[in-house]
Amino acid sequence: MRDVIVIGAGGGGPVVAKELASRGLDVLLLEAGPRHRKPREQWTHFENDANNPLTGYFRLGPTDRSKPAWYREWPQNSFVWQLSGVGGTTQHFYGNYPRAYPGVFNDYTGDDAANYDRKHRFPFGYAEMVPYFEWVEATAPVMTAAMGTKDQVFFRGCETLGLPVQTTKTTTRASYRPQENAILQPGGNAARTSDPNLLVFPDATGCTMCGYCFQGCMQPINAPRNQFAKRSTDNSYVPMALTADVWAPGGKAVSLMTDAYATRIHTEEVGGVATARGVTWRHNGSGEEHREDARVVVMAGGCTENPRLWFNSGLPNPNGWVGRGYTDHFFDWLIGSFDSDTQSSKGPGSASRLDMPGFGGLENVGLPPALQAFSATLSDSGIRGEYENGRGSTGPWDGPAGRLIGPELKDLLQNGIDTLLNVLVITDDDVEAQNCVTLSSFPADENGPVPRVRFRHRNRTERTNRNREVMARKAAELLRGAGAKKVYRIDWAPLILHVQSSMRMGESEKNSVLDANAESRAVKGLFIADNSALANGLGGPNPTLTTQALATRTAEKIFQHYFDGEGWVGTETPVVSTDPAISRRLAQRGL
Ligand SMILES: Cc1cc2nc3c(=O)[nH]c(=O)nc-3n(C[C@H](O)[C@H](O)[C@H](O)COP(=O)(O)OP(=O)(O)OC[C@H]3O[C@@H](n4cnc5c(N)ncnc54)[C@H](O)[C@@H]3O)c2cc1C
């Protein structure tokens, strides 16, 4: 019997695996998708090769790309962008690591407290989270973003809005700032040249400003895996988990199984209480099923797959909240076109942001060309100008909101993507029971009934709709202030890049799945350690730092309550994931 089985090697799972393995526990980490051991041979900067949701190397599917991707039902105009594989969706991510706003925790007493989703707060205070934020910020590590021309343009716009610059990691007021991100700052030749011969480790370290964060980070050339610039978990926590026997005194390396799709969580009655006992998984290649048992099971399959696995395992759902409360930051997207060079496609994808606690945030996002075009065409208002009653059809943007196609799209792109500036609107959205994951009535796949993700777009709470409108207007004003000649609001259909809280922890047992320790209320010994455990949408900040801080706290709770261990956060110095001992051992093991 293992000590702990963790399901899912994305944003959250590897954190628990690494933390517990470094305390000497025997941890099995199961990942449904592939492990890209040699990114420089397996990945490219060709957008279709990377991002095609059916056949791309970044998709939700098994290693064998000749086999179909796994499907989900989403019965509305939307796209759920989640990946399988070691690193999970962090393989795509931009590494922005802002902390959750203090207003979403239950000790918040600020004057603007009423602006937040007060019915769905974290069941503990912000001060309790701070040491866990600090632990992850040191481990990942998190740094102030390297910036370039696009950020200068973004800040030029911010300056016209009369907001101050935020200089502390905790965001306390409406303000703008460089991103704090989990991307190593450029060193040596990096960011000084685009000559690939000079962008080779160790003469170049950290971010080379290539602009392809979306396609998976494999920079600089020849860098050991744990020194790749972007700290997706395949470059940070997973290398640490696999070498915990080297860098942690008394540590034990995590066992990682890939192409291993968990299809059932087993429980047994202990003292009349359902208690997690083990996991069955199916190997994608052979179709063989395996079962292993453990004292503790941790679900980290993401906001969509966790509810699916819960339902397919027949686990209890006494208050009906499994899969409910799916928050998505109700994104929107504005594009400004400029006469001058913005260098939108260069540098870390996103290096500057504006925060309005209680409403949400804005961030600059640079994209490669095909994704830039895609970003202009996913709308819930239809083709721009064709449907005059679209959301926000009037405002400080040009004409009605909507998708750009044909001559208008061509016009936008004709001067090249480096004359554009994109602003992502990240809405502080309410937890709503109606936005949820259930099982689909579509045919099951080889892993059982598939999930159905249901979102209401326009029919959100008044506060959520208000927040999105306030932030979209702010984005347009920012772009105008920065000098944009034209500003387009796309009114994005639900594009699910940030998802949170579908298995939420909460103050009340009436509307939460997890208690304040992230342990399931209905099944003992069963914890959740990914975005789905978050109590709410965090007020708008990107979720991964908070998920990883919470996962670190959850690992401590598991160690204390199930293995008689002691807490360590706040008393020890974290090891940084770029530690050379990790690089050496990865090389020795051919990893
Ligand atoms: C384009 C893009 C940009 C983003 N940028 C940012 C950013 O800058 N900052 C930020 O904070 N967030 C960002 N995000 C979001 C970020 O990627 C997520 O917050 C994070 O990956 C969530 O972690 P997770 O563990 O909840 O889920 P995931 O990372 O999706 O991981 C879940 C893992 O579990 C595996 N799995 C699922 N079911 C099973 C099963 N039954 N058995 C075994 N394994 C299973 C999956 O294959 C997957 O690998 C971005 C996302 C996208 C798409």
Side-chain angles (χ1 to χ4, degrees), residues 122-457:
F122 275 84
F124 51 86
Y126 183 74
E128 186 173 336
M129 269 299 266
V130 169
Y132 298 97
F133 283 137
E134 288 172 348
W135 183 271
V136 175
E137 285 160 353
T139 305
V142 176
M143 300 179 172
T144 301
M147 287 171 280
T149 308
K150 68 182 186 328
D151 308 293
Q152 252 175 323
V153 179
F154 185 91
F155 290 144
R156 198 163 68 217
C158 294
E159 281 166 3
T160 64
L161 300 176
L163 295 175
V165 178
Q166 182 73 40
T167 53
T168 57
K169 286 193 192 270
T170 297
T171 298
T172 53
R173 57 191 170 155
S175 53
Y176 66 97
R177 66 185 310 156
Q179 296 275 12
E180 288 293 298
N181 71 14
I183 297 180
L184 303 178
Q185 284 183 348
N189 295 334
R192 293 174 198 273
T193 174
S194 52
D195 179 349
N197 297 318
L198 299 176
L199 292 172
V200 177
F201 186 87
D203 294 334
T205 58
C207 181
T208 60
M209 313 292 269
C210 78
Y212 282 98
C213 299
F214 211 96
Q215 322 269 123
C217 186
M218 45 185 167
Q219 305 288 341
I221 297 164
N222 286 353
R225 188 65 188 256
N226 69 323
Q227 309 267 1
F228 282 3
K230 187 177 85 169
R231 315 310 289 159
S232 42
T233 57
D234 50 326
N235 299 335
S236 57
Y237 275 94
V238 171
M240 294 189 91
L242 296 175
T243 59
D245 54 324
V246 176
W247 58 267
K252 192 169 174 18
V254 165
S255 310
L256 171 64
M257 300 278 304
T258 55
D259 268 316
Y261 205 111
T263 51
R264 192 171 181 86
I265 293 174
H266 303 277
T267 60
E268 63 185 32
E269 294 276 315
V270 178
V273 181
T275 304
R277 193 45 66 229
V279 179
T280 290
W281 72 90
R282 183 182 167 282
H283 189 268
N284 295 327
S286 66
E288 281 173 11
E289 290 197 330
H290 304 268
R291 172 175 170 163
E292 281 214 41
D293 286 352
R295 287 175 68 186
V296 167
V297 174
V298 179
M299 298 175 82
C303 284
T304 309
E305 295 298 320
N306 281 343
R308 175 200 192 186
L309 178 57
W310 191 283
F311 294 133
N312 286 346
S313 302
L315 299 180
N317 182 17
N319 60 11
W321 266 79
V322 169
R324 292 195 182 277
Y326 207 113
T327 55
D328 68 331
H329 288 161
F330 199 9
F331 286 148
D332 202 349
W333 188 255
L334 286 90
I335 306 173
S337 75
F338 292 74
D339 283 340
S340 54
D341 192 359
T342 58
Q343 301 257 320
S344 179
S345 66
K346 307 284 192 307
S350 175
S352 42
R353 70 183 295 121
L354 178 150
D355 291 281
M356 286 188 59
F359 294 87
L362 304 176
E363 62 183 27
N364 167 237
V365 175
L367 292 170
L371 288 166
Q372 179 67 54
F374 166 76
S375 79
T377 58
L378 180 77
S379 177
D380 241 8
S381 291
I383 298 168
R384 206 174 92 86
E386 294 293 314
Y387 307 94
E388 290 299 334
N389 59 352
R391 171 188 300 279
S393 53
T394 56
W397 41 88
D398 283 281
R403 66 190 284 226
L404 305 179
I405 60 162
E408 229 173 5
L409 182 60
K410 209 169 152 191
D411 188 46
L412 179 77
L413 299 176
Q414 72 179 354
N415 293 327
I417 56 175
D418 282 338
T419 57
L420 305 179
L421 193 76
N422 302 309
V423 179
L424 176 67
V425 171
I426 310 180
T427 306
D428 177 11
D429 55 339
D430 286 329
V431 168
E432 292 184 70
Q434 65 179 7
N435 298 332
C436 62
V437 183
T438 53
L439 289 181
S440 170
S441 49
F442 282 6
D445 70 10
E446 65 275 22
N447 299 310
V450 300
R452 177 179 195 266
V453 187
R454 174 83 178 109
F455 270 92
R456 297 262 172 87
H457 191 183

